[in-house]
């Protein structure tokens, strides 16, 4: 059998995972995620899908993170009425995550339209609203790990634990019959196998082609066992408390927040001098925690490791904006966890705006930061950033602790792939920034695999033993554009630099002269 696989997302970048698999007359989507990062990349979320939504027979969902599930309501809004296959935990997490995503879009569009009206610009519509979420959830059909599921005639799929998030899976797709049947494996996001609260990654061996993520494909992470991870967190807390506090943690609301709080509680119990109030300032994380308490049973451990979150007296849930506002009156040592994890939306931006300039504050980054995000700029050491249209100097201590990432590093990805051997065909490396994907592909090539790095909107023709790309008719973005800073980022950096330069000039005359020279470049004959 010959199939066509098109990379409509998660190629040349880490977000927007969406792959279209065509086998004969059958058309399947594996994931339907939202793009995150530079505004030029996020603009793709507002464009029509590069395929007809009502022509899709089924959606196979690897996990609930928004970069894999976030455009499902848009798909339904555009006419999709087929099934969405996912594990039970993934469905439950999507229930809270998609509603939250819709609420954020509606809120952000209201604010944007107010600014657009003031500027004389046209109004925009949200990608989808809360009204689109319930029809989407009604399409979900539950699957169980390790049990093959007939998707449509001639196509069977099996979900395997990925060890990345509660309910997260790698998906094996078998299409056709007999010796010509295609056997594909979509890795989804692969955990390191050392996440203490999740089952270890698993999967089949002897598949034909593997579509492999590469988030950390070019690096080795500090991937610590639970005890060592908590030691590292203890040291971060000691330094943050010594600086005068508070400790601000931008957090991914689903998975990362729950693990961090478990570790914070354990550290504070073991080290009473570090004990403090922990404020979870994320409605999504609070609602997701209920799913973890309900669905978090770990068969490897024989327990639900999230139970300590049920009655944690130091943990305070802040659901309403007014409760978040009261944190401004606090001083001294306390811990705030707020979304989003890349500092691009949510309540974390308000906390950064009021705290980032203060030298006694510590900001602890605990996950991957996509290109063009505020979190990436902080990790890169920017001295000043723009938040909600205002310049903010970075006086706080910026710390990075990547042992909490839910992704395997380069060695972990290779080890996971080796466990899937032998492979008859190609490893298609996706879900990584270009350098990470290229480095991992080269490493796999040196190990004897045939590895490639598909481009955005590129279609590959697959048979059992080979895969070849087809010429692209149209690409929605130029090569490299998905992960490099765009003109929006350049404008923000320019305004920060301009304001700093104006402040350094010795007198108003020189400031006026500089502004005059800049203004002259804006005129047609300047």
């Amino acid at each position: 059998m010959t199939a066509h696989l098109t990379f409509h997302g998660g190629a040349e970048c880490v977000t927007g995972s969406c792959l279209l698999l065509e086998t004969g007359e059958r058309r399947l989507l594996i994931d339907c995620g939202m793009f995150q990062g530079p505004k030029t990349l996020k603009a793709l979320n507002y464009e029509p899908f590069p395929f007809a939504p009502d022509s899709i027979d089924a959606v196979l969902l690897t996990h609930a993170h928004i970069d894999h599930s976030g455009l499902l309501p848009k798909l339904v809004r555009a006419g999709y009425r087929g099934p969405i296959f996912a594990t039970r935990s993934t469905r439950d997490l999507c229930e809270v995550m998609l509603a939250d995503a819709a609420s954020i879009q509606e809120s952000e569009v209201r604010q944007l339209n107010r600014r657009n009206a003031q500027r004389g610009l046209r109004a925009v519509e949200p990608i989808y609203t809360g009204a689109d979420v319930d029809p989407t959830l009604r399409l979900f059909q539950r699957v169980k790990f390790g049990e093959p599921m007939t998707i449509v005639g001639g196509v069977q799929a099996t979900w395997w634990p990925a060890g990345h998030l509660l309910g997260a899976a790698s998906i094996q797709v078998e299409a056709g019959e007999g010796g010509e049947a295609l056997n594909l494996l979509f890795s989804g996001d692969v955990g390191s196998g050392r996440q203490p609260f999740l089952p270890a990654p698993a999967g089949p061996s002897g598949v034909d082609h593997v579509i492999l993520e590469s988030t950390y494909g070019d690096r080795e992470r500090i991937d610590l066992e639970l005890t060592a991870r908590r030691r590292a967190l203890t040291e971060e807390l000691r330094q943050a408390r010594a600086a005068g506090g508070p400790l601000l943690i931008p957090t991914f609301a689903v998975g990362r927040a729950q693990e961090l709080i478990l570790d914070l509680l354990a550290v504070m119990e073991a080290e009473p001098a570090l004990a403090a109030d922990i404020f979870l300032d994320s409605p999504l994380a609070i609602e997701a925690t209920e799913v973890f308490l309900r669905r978090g049973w770990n068969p490897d451990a024989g327990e639900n490791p999230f139970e300590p979150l049920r009655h944690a007296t130091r943990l305070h849930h802040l659901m309403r904006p007014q409760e978040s506002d009261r944190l401004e009156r606090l001083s001294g040592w306390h811990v705030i966890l707020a979304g989003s994890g890349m500092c691009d939306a949510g309540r974390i931006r308000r906390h950064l705006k009021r705290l980032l300039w203060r030298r006694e504050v510590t900001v602890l980054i605990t996950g991957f930061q996509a290109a063009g995000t505020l979190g990436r700029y902080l990790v890169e050491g920017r001295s000043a950033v723009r938040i909600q249209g205002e310049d903010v100097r970075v006086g706080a201590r910026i710390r990075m602790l990547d042992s909490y990432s839910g992704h395997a590093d380069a060695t972990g990805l290779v080890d996971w792939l080796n466990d899937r051997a032998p492979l008859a065909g190609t490893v298609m490396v996706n879900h990584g920034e270009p350098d990470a994907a290229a480095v991992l592909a080269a490493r796999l090539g040196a190990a004897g695999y045939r590895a490639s790095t598909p481009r955005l909107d590129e279609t590959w023709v697959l048979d059992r033993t080979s895969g070849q790309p087809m010429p692209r008719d149209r690409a929605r973005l130029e090569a490299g554009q998905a992960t490099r800073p765009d003109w929006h980022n350049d404008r923000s950096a320019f305004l920060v630099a301009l304001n700093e330069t104006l402040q350094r000039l010795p007198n108003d005359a020189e400031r006026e002269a500089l502004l005059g020279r800049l203004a002259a470049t804006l005129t047609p004959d300047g």
Side-chain angles (χ1 to χ4, degrees):
M1 166 175 273
T2 299
H4 292 78
L5 180 64
T6 306
F7 292 78
H8 287 308
E12 301 182 76
C13 63
V14 173
T15 64
S17 180
C18 183
L19 297 98
L20 173 62
L21 177 63
E22 299 172 274
T23 63
E25 297 181 355
R26 304 300 186 181
R27 308 183 89 216
L28 311 175
L29 278 190
I30 293 84
D31 289 342
C32 189
M34 187 174 288
F35 289 101
Q36 299 166 303
K39 288 186 178 180
T40 299
L41 180 61
K42 290 192 290 187
L44 297 182
N45 296 323
Y46 290 86
E47 294 185 5
F49 286 108
F51 50 83
D54 60 0
S55 72
I56 303 300
D57 293 297
V59 177
L60 316 183
L61 188 58
T62 61
H63 65 287
H65 278 150
I66 286 298
D67 62 320
H68 291 257
S69 72
L71 291 188
L72 286 172
K74 176 185 174 181
L75 189 73
V76 173
R77 188 176 192 174
Y80 177 71
R81 297 295 182 267
I84 301 170
F85 293 97
T87 64
R88 181 172 59 182
S89 296
T90 293
R91 188 267 176 211
D92 287 358
L93 289 173
C94 280
E95 182 173 3
V96 297
M97 295 187 74
L98 296 178
D100 181 77
S103 176
I104 289 175
Q105 289 166 55
E106 292 178 84
S107 174
E108 289 184 345
V109 165
R110 281 195 299 270
Q111 297 174 24
L112 175 61
N113 283 338
R114 282 196 294 268
R115 294 196 299 270
N116 283 349
Q118 294 169 346
R119 299 166 181 166
L121 302 175
R122 67 177 180 86
V124 299
E125 294 289 330
I127 303 168
Y128 54 85
T129 70
D132 301 304
V133 174
D134 282 345
T136 304
L137 294 172
R138 288 196 290 269
L139 299 179
F140 273 74
Q141 294 190 22
R142 190 184 74 178
V143 302
K144 294 183 179 180
F145 285 123
E147 295 187 8
M149 168 75 71
T150 298
I151 304 302
V152 290
V155 179
Q156 178 177 275
T158 308
W159 277 250
W160 300 88
H164 169 72
L165 173 71
L166 187 66
S170 302
I171 302 177
Q172 179 185 10
V173 178
E174 299 171 272
E177 298 179 356
E180 296 302 314
L182 269 177
N183 192 347
L184 311 178
L185 181 61
F186 299 85
S187 75
D189 289 355
V190 179
S192 68
R194 294 192 176 192
Q195 279 89 339
F197 309 121
L198 296 170
S205 59
V207 299
D208 297 330
H209 304 278
V210 172
I211 297 82
L212 178 63
E213 70 120 321
S214 58
T215 307
Y216 286 101
D218 60 345
R219 71 198 80 171
E220 307 297 332
R221 286 181 41 246
I222 303 173
D223 195 12
L224 303 176
E225 299 284 359
L226 179 61
T227 301
R229 187 173 85 177
R230 287 178 173 173
R231 281 200 300 267
L233 182 62
T234 299
E235 185 56 32
E236 294 295 342
L237 264 64
R238 286 197 187 107
Q239 294 182 24
R241 190 179 188 283
L247 172 62
L248 181 59
I249 306 178
T251 185
F252 297 90
V254 180
R256 194 75 39 77
Q258 291 74 27
E259 291 197 14
L260 272 164
I261 293 169
L262 286 173
D263 283 3
L264 287 167
L265 293 171
V267 167
M268 291 178 183
E269 182 177 358
E271 300 272 351
L274 300 177
D277 287 323
I278 303 169
F279 298 95
L280 181 56
D281 192 14
S282 168
L284 173 58
I286 294 166
E287 293 179 358
T289 297
E290 293 301 315
V291 178
F292 279 76
L293 289 171
R294 189 168 67 247
R295 303 293 190 203
W297 178 265
N298 185 337
D300 292 349
E303 63 177 359
N304 184 342
F306 299 97
E307 277 296 321
L309 299 177
R310 194 179 297 278
H311 302 295
T313 57
R314 295 194 180 280
L315 177 61
H316 308 279
H317 289 168
L318 308 183
M319 284 291 291
R320 297 179 299 165
Q322 302 93 309
E323 296 171 317
S324 179
D325 294 343
R326 295 191 192 112
L327 295 179
E328 296 184 11
R329 297 197 289 266
L330 292 180
S331 60
W333 175 233
H334 57 281
V335 179
I336 301 171
L337 294 91
S340 67
M342 296 184 191
C343 308
D344 255 17
R347 297 181 182 179
I348 189 63
R349 294 177 71 85
R350 182 170 181 178
H351 292 303
L352 287 169
K353 191 174 179 179
R354 71 180 179 88
L355 295 173
L356 193 57
W357 60 275
R358 292 167 51 179
R359 295 192 177 278
E360 70 271 23
V361 170
T362 300
V363 178
L364 181 61
I365 305 292
T366 61
F368 182 83
Q369 306 297 303
T373 61
L374 176 56
R376 181 72 161 257
Y377 289 142
L378 293 177
V379 170
E380 290 174 347
R382 295 286 180 98
S383 61
V385 294
R386 283 181 69 81
I387 303 176
Q388 297 173 335
E390 296 184 22
D391 295 350
V392 181
R393 292 199 60 80
V394 181
R397 301 169 62 251
I398 308 298
R399 299 288 298 164
M400 180 76 183
L401 188 60
D402 74 350
S403 58
Y404 283 91
S405 177
H407 293 269
D409 61 11
T411 296
L413 290 168
V414 173
D415 289 345
W416 179 88
L417 184 64
N418 287 338
D419 288 340
R420 312 283 79 81
L423 264 63
T426 302
V427 182
M428 285 162 275
V429 179
N430 75 332
H431 200 286
E433 293 183 356
D435 287 348
V439 168
L440 181 60
R443 180 168 178 172
L444 294 175
Y449 293 101
R450 285 178 284 170
S452 61
T453 55
R455 299 179 294 170
L456 183 65
D457 296 322
E458 187 172 64
T459 298
W460 282 63
V461 181
L462 307 176
D463 59 26
R464 284 207 58 206
T465 59
S466 67
Q468 296 295 330
M470 298 173 61
R472 287 189 296 181
D473 293 332
R474 182 181 71 91
R476 286 175 290 166
L477 294 178
E478 297 177 3
Q481 192 175 6
T483 53
R484 65 171 176 255
D486 59 17
W487 71 268
H488 300 279
N489 304 114
D490 292 341
R491 178 182 61 181
S492 294
F494 172 78
L495 291 173
V496 169
L498 174 62
N499 291 334
E500 289 180 334
T501 300
L502 290 171
Q503 293 298 322
R504 287 197 301 266
L505 291 176
N507 53 60
D508 286 350
E510 292 196 29
R511 296 183 182 100
E512 291 171 0
L514 173 59
L515 291 173
R517 292 193 298 274
L518 291 173
T521 67
L522 302 180
T523 61
D525 57 353

